[in-house]
Amino acid sequence: MAECGRARPADPDSAHSRTGSPLTTKKRTQQSPGLRPRYQSSAPGHCFKKVTLTKPTFCHSCSDFIWGLIGFLCEVCNFMCHEKCLKTLRSLCSCMTPSVVQVPVAHCFGPASQKKRFCCVCRKQTEGSTALRCEVCELHVHADCAAFSCADCRSCHLDGTLEQDTFHHHWREGNLASAARCEVCRRSCGSSDVLAGMRCEWCGITSHAACYLNVPPECTMGRLRCMLLHPACVHLDSRNFSKMHCYRISEICSHDLDNSDDLEVSAVASKDVQPAAPESGKQFLKVFDGDDAVRRGFLRLVSLFRATRNEEVVEAALRAFYLPDEPQDYELHEVGGLQRLQGDDIVNRNGGPDNRGSLKDAGDTWILRAKTRDTDNIKVYATWPRSAAAFVPISISKHSTTASVLTEVLSQLGRQEDDVSRFSLMEVCMSSKQVQRQTLSPQEKILDKLQEIRKVSLRQMNQTRFYIVENRNRVVQVNLLIMGLPPLLNNDEYVQLIEDHLAIKSHLVAISHIYTSQGAVSLQISCFSEAERIYMLAKDTSVNNKTLMSLVIPEIMHSKLGDDVCPLLVFVNPKSGGMKGRELLYSFRKLLNPHQVFDISNGGPLAGLHTFREVPRFRVLVCGGDGTVGWVLGVLEAIRHKLVCREPPIGLVPLGTGNDLARILRWGAGYSGEDPLQILVSVDEADEVLMDRWTILLDAQDISEDGKDSGFLEPPKIVQMNNYFGLGIDAELSLDFHLAREDDPEKFTSRFHNKGVYVKVGLQKISSTRSLQKELQLQVDSQDVPLPNIEGLIFLNIPSWGSGADLWGSEADGRFGKPSIDDGLLEVVGVTGVVHMGQVQSGLRSGIRIAQGTYIRLTVSKPIPVQVDGEPWIQPPGHIIISAAGPKVWMLRKSKQKQKKSSAGVKDGRLESPSSRDRPT
């Protein structure tokens, strides 16, 4: 909770009520309750006290300003509200979050952006680079609060273990846009001052915390329904694969994040981390919640008066660990000893006021333990959809076994005639980073199991629940894509490479697809442990000095896709556009199903196209520069024959420097922070148009003065061209820019800086001359074409060059036709030098029109700089042939008409989507 929007109590009893930043120390101080009265609310878990407000404060329930000097603060989660809101409160306390989880799904924590957000655990504002956010949902937490969040991420696929309803809204509290409006009462429900309001992470509707339960529970997936990959249509046997693996999310910070809740005692001592000086008459207790916390050094600080009763100390310790249990069921034990905290008040344990040693050393160290119980209560959840309550309450004793619990559960579910041996009891730990499942044996004592968990970690016990599952012989199928193999081998050679380097077991592993042009193999594995072994081994294996890459691939059940659904496959290059690429990657994972959003720097376009190989109809969105678009089109051309949908239309989000293709398709000169939701709506409403592609054959040979071949210099090379192909001064500038970027890549993070470097390079070349017509021989459609006195020659496929310049020009000319991206013609244009190029860029002149044609042949007598779609190199002398590259490709052109803003369509997704209509013929 942000300090600017929080009340800071003025009375001494509340001076330490979590006013310090959660990131300044890992050990959060928790205020002792004392003897103050508690205030009841309609939402369980909260522990409210009345506080005096000394700064402007807003209510977390209604988000209105709290007028007056009195507010009500939850001592567990820092929830602040009016007195009038206590009776209608719907927001649960953070300690109750595990109890409302429908399908336990782990989070994918990554570093948060610098935008103002509020922690979903302690409700304070997140600060700095150490704050975390889930890459899949809207969960934002402090680094030291992550351990107290639970596995309540979106369920984006089915894994066959827990058969729960995935069609309901997935509500997340707070961090809404300020303009958000309630779906029920239509009043504003967003706030930039507090964690308030609710948002469905699938359809995007928003509501007040007091209104959202009045929204029908079924989720229609909202405006993006026709392009969203529904979670019921995606199957993935993940088991012990982390969510980072399942969603192919980069794990650069994974080691640090996996240990973000660890704090070694030695590290504390070395850094001399001490809490703030306590008030007179107060002291701190170091408290652990179990043996695991002692081992890892993960503790919490509890601040209390010396004369505080034992039960109130235990209650404060429970609140520090976000545990909603009753204090009489717990007690404090001294770490390393057998002594318990006893007596009427803590002064009897710590001695008199002269005992200053414990204060100086930040207090005594204690471990919070659950008292031994002869009976207990558990909740057993059914793994099949039920119309009644989600769980069955069961009372257990020291004689209760798994078998007896199953018998009781089946009786309460009305299935007492079923054979108990057909069912098992599964223990599920809902840790925020990993959901762990364990099947209990029939004779296991349940009460002993609970006591064992509580001894290890009370926090883990709070995040553990039990499920009744039906025993079935499930067919396991894990799909792995192995990349990085040598390209253009035959199938038998790929099989041999996989067997030699990965030692696969043939009876468990089958090779389903081989992509020879990409050097990739798809494996179908029928054993979890074998899949995990191959996955990890591939990351440590090199073939021809190139490390292999392994990716977990989900299965899209295309038969379940609706007739009006045309899912969108998204590729994002996070290295383009500075940090904007990474933010777009995060936004699209949040708005869509993360299984349809791919980081193109992690496996390239093949991973996404292979995932969508059996989808009968889909669209592609490429977020990057012209080079990224060419990369996707090249891979699509190479594996088109393996796709059911061989011609998916492609839209663009321009993140590069020039973005010429995006300009002529109306996607703009460059991404400048547009709303990602509106980008997706524009893609859905875009028109499908055809575009030519061209193949360039570069045959380097030793050309004699009379034009005859005298031998090969290097093997022929084939490249694909989408935008333009340049030789001479144009390519020379691109090459100098490319070399400068390779020398110092961290400086090239903005389009403005990149264009400045282009200008600088151009000024350095302004006095250089090169008579290109003496070095080239040009044939267009088998006709020799004489060249004027030029320094650069450009072949245009699109009417945009060099960041939006019209090189061909708009003047009518009887010799040539009007250029078009699908006319099957290339425009040949010359430039006389850097000054001429600058005049073209400023719109003062156009290039020198030379020819139009469908087949180009060039003979180059000297080494010359060339560039294809902004990728430059030095080409040796020889022959260059340009011809049409197979079929035209479908592209998405942004519609000129204003986007439809029908509230009904946005509300329930029933607005007709152009992507669901037939392609124009």
Side-chain angles (χ1 to χ4, degrees):
M1 188 60 222
E3 284 299 319
C4 63
R6 287 283 301 110
R8 180 167 300 181
D11 61 288
D13 290 346
S14 55
H16 285 278
S17 185
R18 299 194 183 192
T19 55
S21 166
L23 301 178
T24 56
T25 174
K26 188 81 64 173
K27 308 172 297 302
R28 187 77 59 80
T29 300
Q30 175 69 34
Q31 171 64 30
S32 170
L35 298 176
R36 295 184 302 276
R38 292 295 179 272
Y39 298 86
Q40 298 298 321
S41 71
S42 56
H46 290 293
C47 183
F48 283 108
K49 66 176 181 179
K50 183 184 292 186
V51 294
T52 303
L53 308 180
T54 60
K55 60 194 305 183
T57 308
F58 294 84
C59 176
H60 294 194
S61 178
C62 64
S63 72
D64 291 339
F65 186 77
I66 300 180
W67 296 96
L69 300 177
I70 301 299
F72 291 83
L73 173 71
C74 174
E75 295 183 292
V76 180
C77 68
N78 295 312
F79 191 99
M80 173 68 74
C81 69
H82 299 96
E83 183 175 12
K84 66 179 182 179
C85 291
L86 286 177
K87 297 180 180 180
T88 59
L89 192 60
R90 296 285 184 87
S91 298
L92 297 180
C93 183
S94 298
C95 66
M96 300 299 296
T97 305
S99 65
V100 295
V101 174
Q102 294 183 0
V103 180
V105 180
H107 292 285
C108 300
F109 285 124
S113 65
Q114 299 299 317
K115 294 181 180 179
K116 180 181 177 181
R117 292 290 185 267
F118 295 96
C119 175
C120 292
V121 175
C122 72
R123 312 185 73 88
K124 292 187 177 183
Q125 184 176 344
T126 58
E127 303 171 8
S129 59
T130 54
L132 307 177
R133 70 180 178 189
C134 177
E135 296 285 334
V136 177
C137 70
E138 278 282 9
L139 186 78
H140 290 76
V141 293
H142 298 107
D144 65 331
C145 288
F148 300 100
S149 60
C150 67
D152 61 343
C153 192
R154 288 190 298 167
S155 179
C156 299
H157 61 262
L158 304 179
D159 63 4
T161 304
L162 304 180
E163 299 177 2
Q164 293 287 349
D165 192 350
T166 59
F167 306 99
H168 287 183
H169 293 291
H170 190 104
W171 296 104
R172 178 72 66 199
E173 184 179 14
N175 294 311
L176 309 183
S178 298
R181 292 198 170 272
C182 178
E183 185 73 12
V184 177
C185 66
R186 307 310 303 170
R187 296 175 54 219
S188 174
C189 61
S191 175
S192 59
D193 300 298
V194 292
L195 189 77
M198 308 293 288
R199 176 183 179 274
C200 174
E201 296 187 326
W202 284 115
C203 65
I205 64 172
T206 54
S207 176
H208 291 104
C211 297
Y212 83 100
L213 292 180
N214 295 324
V215 177
E218 293 78 13
C219 182
T220 60
M221 299 295 171
R223 173 63 182 85
L224 305 179
R225 177 182 62 86
C226 292
M227 63 169 57
L228 191 142
L229 200 58
H230 198 285
C233 299
V234 183
H235 181 267
L236 179 61
D237 287 325
S238 55
R239 204 179 76 158
N240 290 335
F241 286 111
S242 72
K243 293 304 171 186
M244 293 286 187
H245 296 157
C246 295
Y247 298 139
R248 304 158 308 279
I249 296 175
S250 175
E251 298 180 80
I252 296 175
C253 304
S254 63
H255 178 75
D256 296 334
L257 297 178
D258 286 342
N259 296 284
S260 61
D261 59 349
D262 294 349
L263 185 64
E264 297 297 334
V265 177
S266 59
V268 175
S270 64
K271 295 181 180 179
D272 196 25
V273 178
Q274 297 291 343
E279 295 181 14
S280 176
K282 284 190 176 182
Q283 74 172 47
F284 290 101
L285 287 184
K286 295 179 181 178
V287 181
F288 298 95
D289 77 321
D291 293 342
D292 184 62
V294 175
R295 179 182 60 83
R296 302 166 74 182
F298 182 72
L299 58 89
R300 307 282 278 182
L301 290 182
V302 177
S303 170
L304 64 153
F305 288 103
R306 289 184 178 274
T308 302
R309 293 186 305 172
N310 178 25
E311 183 175 313
E312 291 165 347
V313 178
V314 174
E315 183 181 357
L318 287 171
R319 291 202 306 271
F321 285 98
Y322 294 92
L323 300 175
D325 302 317
E326 296 297 329
Q328 60 267 23
D329 295 330
Y330 295 85
E331 58 191 8
L332 287 168
H333 291 250
E334 187 177 17
V335 174
L338 301 177
Q339 187 166 3
R340 289 185 297 171
L341 185 62
Q342 298 177 351
D344 216 19
D345 55 60
I346 199 170
V347 72
N348 294 330
R349 166 66 185 89
N350 291 320
D354 293 333
N355 185 4
R356 304 297 178 89
S358 61
L359 292 178
K360 182 178 179 181
D361 296 333
D364 290 332
T365 304
W366 299 85
I367 185 168
L368 186 63
R369 295 285 195 196
K371 294 179 180 179
T372 303
R373 309 177 188 182
D374 294 329
T375 60
D376 209 334
N377 297 299
I378 63 171
K379 299 175 181 177
V380 179
Y381 291 75
T383 55
W384 51 84
R386 299 181 62 229
S387 58
F391 61 86
V392 175
I394 300 293
S395 297
I396 60 173
S397 66
K398 59 183 180 180
H399 303 294
S400 298
T401 63
T402 299
S404 64
V405 168
L406 288 174
T407 302
E408 177 65 21
V409 171
L410 291 173
S411 175
Q412 293 197 35
L413 293 176
R415 302 181 62 170
Q416 56 269 25
E417 296 181 358
D418 290 353
D419 186 0
V420 177
S421 62
R422 292 178 46 227
F423 298 88
S424 298
L425 191 65
M426 179 184 293
E427 173 197 334
V428 178
C429 180
M430 304 184 296
S431 169
S432 61
K433 297 172 187 175
Q434 185 74 41
V435 176
Q436 298 176 336
R437 302 178 175 94
Q438 177 185 357
T439 301
L440 305 183
S441 63
Q443 302 305 318
E444 187 158 5
K445 297 293 183 65
I446 301 300
L447 191 60
D448 293 344
K449 182 67 176 178
L450 297 181
Q451 292 174 351
E452 177 185 339
I453 298 174
R454 289 191 175 104
K455 185 178 180 182
V456 172
S457 172
L458 295 175
R459 177 164 45 99
Q460 178 180 331
M461 185 66 243
N462 190 44
Q463 296 177 343
T464 298
R465 64 169 52 164
F466 296 92
Y467 285 88
I468 179 172
V469 296
E470 191 169 359
N471 299 329
R472 291 178 297 175
N473 293 324
R474 293 182 52 236
V475 177
V476 175
Q477 179 177 304
V478 181
N479 298 313
L480 294 184
L481 184 64
I482 309 298
M483 309 175 69
L485 297 166
L488 304 178
L489 304 179
N490 60 51
N491 290 356
D492 292 338
E493 290 176 306
Y494 283 114
V495 173
Q496 191 63 44
L497 282 174
I498 292 295
E499 291 178 349
D500 291 345
H501 289 85
L502 300 181
I504 64 173
K505 300 175 182 177
S506 58
H507 65 288
L508 298 177
V509 182
I511 296 179
S512 59
H513 294 81
I514 297 177
Y515 298 97
T516 58
S517 63
Q518 308 299 310
V521 173
S522 172
L523 304 179
Q524 287 185 349
I525 307 170
S526 58
C527 173
F528 281 123
S529 58
E530 177 70 359
E532 293 158 10
R533 184 191 67 82
I534 294 175
Y535 180 87
M536 300 308 298
L537 179 60
K539 291 179 175 292
D540 298 325
T541 302
S542 296
V543 177
N544 293 351
N545 296 321
K546 184 176 181 181
T547 304
L548 299 183
M549 174 181 290
S550 58
L551 297 175
V552 181
I553 300 297
E555 177 190 359
I556 299 179
M557 296 177 283
H558 56 89
S559 60
K560 293 187 177 182
L561 294 172
D563 294 336
D564 60 341
V565 174
C566 180
L568 184 68
L569 171 59
V570 181
F571 294 110
V572 181
N573 189 346
K575 298 178 181 179
S576 299
M579 286 299 293
K580 293 179 180 177
R582 167 164 165 73
E583 287 303 307
L584 272 178
L585 185 65
Y586 167 74
S587 297
F588 288 142
R589 282 195 187 120
K590 181 184 66 175
L591 291 169
L592 301 170
N593 190 321
H595 287 301
Q596 63 188 115
V597 181
F598 289 77
D599 179 351
I600 202 171
S601 65
N602 185 23
L606 178 62
L609 294 173
H610 173 68
T611 302
F612 276 62
R613 66 192 179 280
E614 295 182 354
V615 177
R617 197 159 51 98
F618 65 94
R619 288 181 165 191
V620 178
L621 179 64
V622 181
C623 307
D626 289 339
T628 305
V629 179
W631 187 9
V632 173
L633 288 172
V635 175
L636 176 61
E637 178 67 26
I639 70 166
R640 186 190 304 273
H641 61 287
K642 291 182 178 290
L643 304 179
V644 174
C645 177
R646 298 191 173 187
E647 299 178 357
I650 299 173
L652 311 174
V653 175
L655 297 180
T657 302
N659 303 313
D660 290 288
L661 184 56
R663 293 171 191 264
I664 62 106
L665 293 174
R666 302 181 188 147
W667 295 108
Y671 176 71
S672 55
E674 292 86 356
D675 181 10
L677 174 61
Q678 291 305 315
I679 291 176
L680 294 177
V681 172
S682 297
V683 171
D684 195 38
E685 297 177 351
D687 303 318
E688 297 181 7
V689 297
L690 285 169
M691 185 184 76
D692 299 323
R693 293 188 75 231
W694 301 85
T695 296
I696 303 177
L697 173 64
L698 301 148
D699 190 5
Q701 298 179 3
D702 189 4
I703 305 297
S704 61
E705 293 184 1
D706 59 1
K708 294 183 179 180
D709 302 342
S710 301
F712 293 98
L713 292 179
E714 61 181 41
K717 180 169 61 173
I718 297 177
V719 296
Q720 304 292 329
M721 186 261 285
N722 305 306
N723 298 351
Y724 40 76
F725 170 54
L727 304 90
I729 186 64
D730 166 52
E732 192 172 347
L733 296 183
S734 294
L735 182 61
D736 289 347
F737 172 83
H738 179 73
L739 295 175
R741 181 165 57 182
E742 281 192 339
D743 290 340
D744 203 356
E746 61 272 8
K747 291 184 178 180
F748 291 77
T749 56
S750 71
R751 287 189 295 271
F752 181 79
H753 176 269
N754 294 353
K755 291 179 180 179
V757 174
Y758 259 116
V759 172
K760 180 180 177 181
V761 170
L763 292 176
Q764 294 173 349
K765 303 286 183 181
I766 199 168
S767 59
S768 63
T769 59
R770 181 169 188 160
S771 298
L772 199 63
Q773 72 278 4
K774 299 179 180 179
E775 304 173 7
L776 296 178
Q777 295 178 16
L778 173 65
Q779 285 185 348
V780 178
D781 294 336
S782 301
Q783 299 293 322
D784 291 334
V785 177
L787 294 175
N789 187 13
I790 56 175
E791 290 189 32
L793 188 65
I794 298 103
F795 300 86
L796 299 172
N797 183 44
I798 63 175
S800 179
W801 165 86
S803 300
D806 185 5
L807 185 61
W808 180 262
S810 57
E811 305 86 15
D813 191 333
R815 298 177 300 164
F816 307 109
K818 184 178 180 180
S820 173
I821 64 174
D822 64 343
D823 57 4
L825 297 174
L826 278 179
E827 285 69 47
V828 186
V829 191
V831 292
T832 59
V834 173
V835 174
H836 187 187
M837 292 171 62
Q839 291 171 333
V840 172
Q841 291 282 357
S842 59
L844 300 176
R845 289 181 62 184
S846 57
I848 301 173
R849 298 179 181 177
I850 297 175
Q852 271 183 322
T854 60
Y855 182 83
I856 310 294
R857 183 182 180 89
L858 284 164
T859 302
V860 182
S861 60
K862 294 181 180 180
I864 188 173
V866 300
Q867 62 101 355
V868 176
D869 295 343
E871 300 297 326
W873 68 91
I874 298 294
Q875 178 63 25
H879 300 293
I880 300 175
I881 298 175
I882 309 176
S883 59
K888 304 175 189 290
V889 294
W890 287 97
M891 303 298 292
L892 292 175
R893 183 171 59 193
K894 190 174 182 179
S895 176
K896 280 185 176 180
Q897 65 181 1
K898 215 168 186 180
Q899 290 178 359
K900 303 162 186 166
K901 296 184 178 179
S902 167
S903 59
V906 173
K907 172 180 174 182
D908 59 16
R910 293 175 188 157
L911 189 68
E912 185 185 7
S913 167
S915 65
S916 65
R917 299 195 293 263
D918 292 335
R919 177 177 292 168
T921 56

